[in-house]
């Protein structure tokens, strides 16, 4: 005869939700305390088997056990399910005589249960997780009232421990703050009460800054910094805003729905306070705060709201705007960035997605084209052409930039070799990123490739922007000197854009300075750029550097800069970037060279 299926408790759904939300109940290593509890009970009751069970959807799981190797049984075979459904204790003196259990495989087969006594493990709030039970393979008489009380007492010990485990799963170890799981639960509770809270993520540093801190200053520093940030946050936030720590150096708040008015004033205070360095182990660390905000409304809570506020915080940090409300466009941009970054890794390996195009650079005295700049192009199989202005900054945030640069340098040197065999001695300028100059690898690769193709370093120029100098200045200088020792020339790209430091011109032993194309848009007498460009050209020349003007789009601009002594120019007026196969034909026609010498 088949054993009947155990009954379900009335509050089975809430019970299940509790277990789902606390994987610590059913997963994880054995717990020493609970292991001791079952040993004590087995000793006291002199039973071969004692278990602490957790009743899950389809199985009962043995959270602690003595006397059996089984870790779980199907729920259908569970004795404990009766006690859970009842919310009270169950005692079976001889299972073979009890029609609920007679056909149970745990009775008919291993371990051959005859006697069973179980008491429920009841958490605060009345939900029953499972059971503490003692089991014998021989029938026994009913236990005494004193023994029954003892079994219940031991069960309370187990419950206290399970409660502790539940609380620990909600706590961030470093700060003692509640964690993301608790934020999730608290927000759901607020929504269930019909409130519309604000979920707020607070990001303090960029992932790169976090990584740098960890690598150069270590875990203890990071811990101390985190605690300093926590204390500052706590002192600035209203007492009714619970503070959570949801990931490494990312905090969060739940703002009660009735306090939305004051929220922005609080955000402004945070932005101001974190605009100053935080002193940790006597080192000043300048945080880059970003606050992401999302109002959650009952009935319209996005499944992944936590990701959305983190995404908004990231955006607010990157743009320096302090705080940002999550909006869908932002998410779409973020998703595109993630996708591009993922797919770029494949593109570098693929062979048919990346290619170099080459933009001629001409000498303004002779009109001759002596060098070309290699510019990377990516044809994404689905999204089509992606601009390097979009994907290079993304790659630069990860180690992927090194693979990209290696791909570029390989390809550029192959091309130089191919042109050489066709009789054209073109110098190729490649763009590298700041991170490429912070160690030996790229220089080593250039040395290797030049040797393999039997090429002299003078066929190559390396362009980088001033951001390269944010890292370890002396390492960058070493790389520059190694490259120059081989005859490779060095150019500072986009000079004058962003936060330029004119003293770089003196400190970096560059051969060439490329003036940023933003200067060339509106070069009219009396304009600010007019004076800056003239001054930059004369400064660079006095320091012995060649000056190249980028972004020359008109004959007028070309004449102006040539008159000021700029030696070379590059831009759409001369030529757009060309496919490798069109380069030699362009050189042969050399239309620009002729018209330029006419102008000269
Ligand atoms: P960049 O190195 O300053 O390159 C010059 C950019 O200006 C190129 O854009 C070029 O097409 C564009 N340009 C040239 N002449 C004109 C002009 O007359 N008018 C205007 N409006 N634009 C002109 P592109 O190819 O989109 O590249 C953008 C940036 O992406 C480059 O700026 C460079 O910083 C980066 N990049 C391109 N290829 C690579 C690469 O292989 N590696 C690295 N690390 N960065 C690259
Ligand atoms: Mg460049
Ligand atoms: Mg440039």
């Amino acid at each position: 005869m088949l054993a009947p299926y155990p009954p379900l408790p009335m509050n089975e759904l809430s019970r299940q939700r509790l277990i789902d939300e606390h994987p610590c109940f059913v997963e994880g290593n054995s717990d020493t305390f609970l292991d001791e509890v079952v040993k004590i009970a087995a000793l006291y009751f002199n039973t071969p088997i004692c278990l602490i069970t957790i009743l899950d959807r389809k199985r009962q799981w043995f959270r602690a056990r003595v006397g059996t190797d089984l870790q779980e049984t199907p729920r259908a075979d569970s004795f404990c399910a009766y006690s859970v459904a009842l919310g009270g204790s169950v005692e079976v003196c001889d299972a073979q005589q009890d029609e609920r259990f007679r056909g149970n495989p745990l009775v008919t087969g291993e371990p051959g249960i005859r006697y069973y006594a179980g008491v429920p493990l009841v958490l605060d709030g009345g939900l029953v997780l499972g059971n503490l039970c003692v089991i014998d393979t021989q029938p026994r008489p009913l236990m005494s009232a004193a023994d029954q009380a003892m079994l219940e007492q031991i069960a309370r010990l187990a419950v206290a421990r399970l409660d502790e485990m539940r609380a620990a799963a909600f706590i961030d170890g470093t700060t003692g703050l509640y964690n993301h799981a608790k934020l999730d639960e608290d927000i759901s509770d607020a929504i269930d009460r019909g409130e519309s809270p604000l979920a707020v993520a607070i990001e303090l540093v960029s992932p790169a800054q976090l990584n740098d801190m960890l690598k150069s200053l270590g875990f203890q520093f990071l811990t101390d910094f985190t605690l300093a940030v926590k204390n500052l946050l706590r002192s600035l936030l209203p007492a009714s805003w619970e503070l959570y720590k949801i990931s490494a150096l990312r905090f969060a708040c739940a703002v009660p729905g009735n306090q939305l008015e004051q929220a922005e004033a609080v955000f402004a205070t945070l932005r101001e306070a974190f605009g100053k360095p935080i002193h940790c182990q006597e080192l000043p660390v300048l945080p880059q705060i970003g606050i992401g905000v999302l109002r959650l409304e009952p009935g319209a809570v996005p499944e992944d709201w936590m990701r959305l506020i983190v995404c908004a915080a990231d955006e607010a940090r990157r743009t320096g705007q302090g705080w940002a409300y999550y909006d869908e466009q932002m998410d779409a941009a973020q998703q595109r960035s993630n996708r591009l970054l993922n797919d770029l890794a494949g593109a570098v390996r693929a062979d048919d997605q990346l290619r170099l195009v080459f933009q001629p650079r001409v000498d303004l005295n002779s009109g001759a084209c002596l060098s070309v700049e290699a510019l990377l192009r990516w044809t994404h199989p689905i999204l089509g052409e992606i601009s390097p202005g979009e994907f290079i900054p993304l790659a630069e945030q990860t180690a992927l930039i090194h693979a990209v640069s290696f791909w570029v340098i390989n390809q550029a040197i192959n091309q130089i070799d191919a042109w050489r065999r066709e009789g054209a001695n073109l110098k190729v300028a490649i763009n590298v990123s700041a991170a490429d100059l912070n160690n030996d690898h790229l220089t080593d690769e250039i040395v290797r490739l030049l040797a393999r193709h039997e090429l002299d370093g003078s066929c190559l120029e390396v362009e980088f922007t001033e951001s390269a100098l944010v890292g370890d200045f002396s390492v960058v200088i070493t790389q520059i000197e190694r490259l120059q020792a081989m005859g490779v020339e060095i150019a500072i790209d986009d000079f004058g854009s962003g936060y330029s430091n004119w003293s770089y011109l003196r400190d970096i032993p560059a051969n060439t300075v490329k003036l940023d194309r933003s200067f060339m848009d509106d070069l009219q007498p009396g304009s600010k750029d007019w004076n800056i460009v003239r001054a930059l050209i004369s400064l660079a020349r006095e320091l012995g550097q060649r000056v190249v003007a980028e972004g020359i789009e008109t004959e007028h601009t070309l004449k102006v800069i040539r008159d000021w002594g700029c030696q070379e120019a590059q831009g759409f007026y001369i030529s757009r970037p060309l496919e490798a196969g069109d380069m030699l034909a362009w050189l042969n026609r050399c239309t620009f060279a002729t018209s330029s010498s006419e102008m000269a």
Side-chain angles (χ1 to χ4, degrees):
M1 188 190 93
L2 262 182
Y5 195 86
L8 288 179
M10 296 293 286
N11 52 10
E12 179 61 9
L13 285 180
S14 332
R15 217 186 64 77
Q16 272 310 328
R17 205 175 95 185
L18 180 80
I19 294 175
D20 289 346
E21 281 168 0
H22 298 87
C24 62
F25 290 147
V26 286
E27 285 166 7
N29 301 332
S30 63
D31 181 77
T32 321
F33 189 94
L34 294 179
D35 289 347
E36 290 302 319
V37 168
V38 287
K39 276 186 219 156
I40 289 172
L43 269 176
Y44 179 85
F45 289 97
N46 193 24
T47 52
I49 299 175
C50 177
L51 305 167
I52 288 176
T53 67
I54 308 287
L55 194 66
D56 206 346
R57 264 186 200 78
K58 292 200 170 143
R59 56 178 189 155
Q60 80 172 338
W61 199 75
F62 301 163
R63 193 66 184 81
R65 62 198 150 96
V66 281
T68 174
D69 290 334
L70 289 177
Q71 296 204 342
E72 59 176 89
T73 64
R75 180 168 174 152
D77 303 343
S78 165
F79 280 55
C80 295
Y82 287 86
S83 144
V84 172
L86 207 71
S89 30
V90 165
E91 190 174 12
V92 179
C93 295
D94 185 353
Q96 278 184 323
Q97 306 302 321
D98 188 318
E99 64 180 39
R100 293 173 298 176
F101 301 113
R102 194 178 291 143
N104 189 305
L106 303 172
V107 177
T108 56
E110 285 299 310
I113 298 178
R114 295 294 175 271
Y115 174 80
Y116 169 94
V119 291
L121 302 171
V122 190
L123 289 186
D124 257 3
L127 294 178
V128 183
L129 273 184
N131 246 356
L132 168 71
C133 60
V134 286
I135 291 171
D136 201 347
T137 48
Q138 304 298 324
R140 286 190 180 200
L142 280 175
M143 65 169 64
S144 66
D147 279 353
Q148 175 70 30
M150 186 64 175
L151 192 60
E152 283 165 11
Q153 190 61 44
I154 299 177
R156 278 197 284 278
L157 268 182
V159 169
R161 176 63 191 147
L162 288 165
D163 254 337
E164 259 175 34
M165 287 163 70
R166 173 161 82 142
F170 272 152
I171 301 289
D172 169 68
T174 314
T175 57
L177 292 173
Y178 284 135
N179 62 13
H180 64 99
K182 177 75 167 138
L183 173 64
D184 196 44
E185 181 163 291
D186 288 353
I187 289 280
S188 316
D189 289 350
I191 296 284
D192 288 348
R193 289 192 301 268
E195 295 173 16
S196 307
L198 279 188
V200 178
I202 306 171
E203 195 162 287
L204 271 313
V205 296
S206 68
Q209 198 184 355
L210 183 72
N211 202 17
D212 284 353
M213 251 199 291
L214 191 59
K215 278 196 298 195
S216 50
L217 300 163
F219 268 105
Q220 190 53 48
F221 184 87
L222 203 60
T223 305
D224 292 352
F225 181 70
T226 311
L227 290 174
V229 167
K230 168 199 151 186
N231 292 335
L232 184 54
L233 277 173
R234 197 53 281 176
S235 71
L236 296 168
L237 293 171
S240 56
W241 294 21
E242 188 69 67
L243 180 64
Y244 304 79
K245 176 149 170 289
I246 54 172
S247 64
L249 277 180
R250 219 177 255 136
F251 293 81
C253 277
V255 181
N258 58 3
Q259 292 179 23
L260 304 185
E261 264 105 74
Q262 71 180 93
E264 295 215 343
V266 175
F267 299 154
T269 312
L270 293 185
R271 180 166 66 176
E272 200 194 318
F274 286 95
K276 300 181 202 115
I278 294 184
H279 288 264
C280 179
Q281 295 181 6
E282 283 161 32
L283 285 177
V285 180
L286 186 62
Q288 306 169 11
I289 190 167
I291 302 172
V293 192
L294 178 61
R295 174 122 197 238
L296 299 171
E297 309 270 2
V301 177
E303 177 102 21
D304 53 350
W305 59 266
M306 208 164 322
R307 183 180 71 78
L308 305 184
I309 54 170
V310 165
C311 166
D314 197 52
E315 173 81 7
R317 182 187 50 72
R318 278 192 300 110
T319 56
Q321 71 194 98
W323 69 90
Y325 287 83
Y326 165 79
D327 78 65
E328 269 166 34
Q329 262 175 343
M330 179 193 289
D331 194 33
Q334 190 96 17
Q335 306 250 28
R336 178 174 162 99
S337 299
N338 287 342
R339 170 164 192 190
L340 290 182
L341 205 49
N342 279 331
D343 294 353
L344 183 58
V348 174
R349 274 177 265 117
D351 229 39
D352 59 345
Q353 293 185 35
L354 297 179
R355 72 185 197 286
L356 290 178
V357 293
F358 300 88
Q359 188 177 34
R361 197 166 107 183
V362 294
D363 182 297
L364 290 174
N365 285 319
S366 64
C369 167
L370 303 175
S371 65
V372 294
E373 176 173 6
L375 295 163
L376 189 53
R377 294 291 175 263
W378 178 17
T379 313
H380 187 282
I382 294 158
L383 303 173
E385 290 300 315
I386 315 288
S387 153
E390 183 175 12
F391 70 82
I392 293 285
L394 292 175
E396 280 175 338
Q397 293 172 26
T398 73
L400 187 56
I401 190 64
H402 300 302
V404 172
S405 296
F406 269 53
W407 188 95
V408 168
I409 182 70
N410 244 285
Q411 205 61 25
I413 289 182
N414 280 340
Q415 190 59 59
I416 295 171
D417 200 6
W419 280 331
R420 197 128 311 192
R421 276 187 263 113
E422 290 181 67
N425 279 331
L426 273 178
K427 182 191 287 256
V428 171
I430 57 159
N431 293 281
V432 303
S433 295
D436 292 320
L437 295 174
N438 273 315
N439 58 44
D440 284 332
H441 304 175
L442 188 91
T443 318
D444 290 349
E445 179 71 354
I446 292 178
V447 172
R448 190 181 74 78
L449 289 171
L450 288 174
R452 195 171 87 190
H453 290 265
E454 297 176 355
L455 288 169
D456 188 80
S458 61
C459 66
L460 203 64
E461 183 167 314
V462 169
E463 295 186 7
F464 60 87
T465 62
E466 292 153 84
S467 63
L469 303 169
V470 174
D472 186 342
F473 197 84
S474 65
V475 179
V476 175
I477 297 289
T478 307
Q479 300 313 315
I480 292 178
E481 287 172 351
R482 282 183 67 199
L483 289 167
Q484 284 177 325
M486 292 184 276
V488 176
E489 295 211 329
I490 300 295
I492 303 177
D493 204 357
D494 301 345
F495 189 76
S497 69
Y499 33 111
S500 286
N501 187 337
W502 289 30
S503 65
Y504 285 153
L505 283 190
R506 180 196 60 202
D507 298 339
I508 306 166
N511 307 87
T512 304
V513 177
K514 298 186 81 176
L515 299 185
D516 193 61
R517 70 181 142 97
S518 62
F519 289 124
M520 309 301 158
D521 287 347
D522 180 31
L523 218 48
Q524 302 296 338
S527 72
K528 228 199 293 169
D529 290 346
W530 179 268
N531 293 323
I532 293 179
V533 172
R534 190 162 50 179
L536 282 178
I537 292 176
S538 99
L539 178 66
R541 285 192 61 138
E542 271 172 40
L543 291 167
Q545 282 149 344
R546 277 181 88 69
V547 190
V548 180
E550 293 190 284
I552 300 300
E553 293 185 357
T554 64
E555 188 180 345
H556 160 77
T557 323
L558 183 112
K559 280 189 172 152
V560 170
I561 53 147
R562 192 184 51 196
D563 291 347
W564 286 339
C566 178
Q567 290 111 327
E568 292 185 49
Q570 181 180 340
F572 293 170
Y573 177 66
I574 297 153
S575 168
R576 289 195 174 254
L578 301 168
E579 298 296 330
D582 298 334
M583 194 66 227
L584 296 186
W586 184 89
L587 278 177
N588 285 334
R589 287 202 310 277
C590 220
T591 47
F592 178 79
T594 338
S595 66
S596 163
S597 23
E598 275 163 14
M599 279 188 312

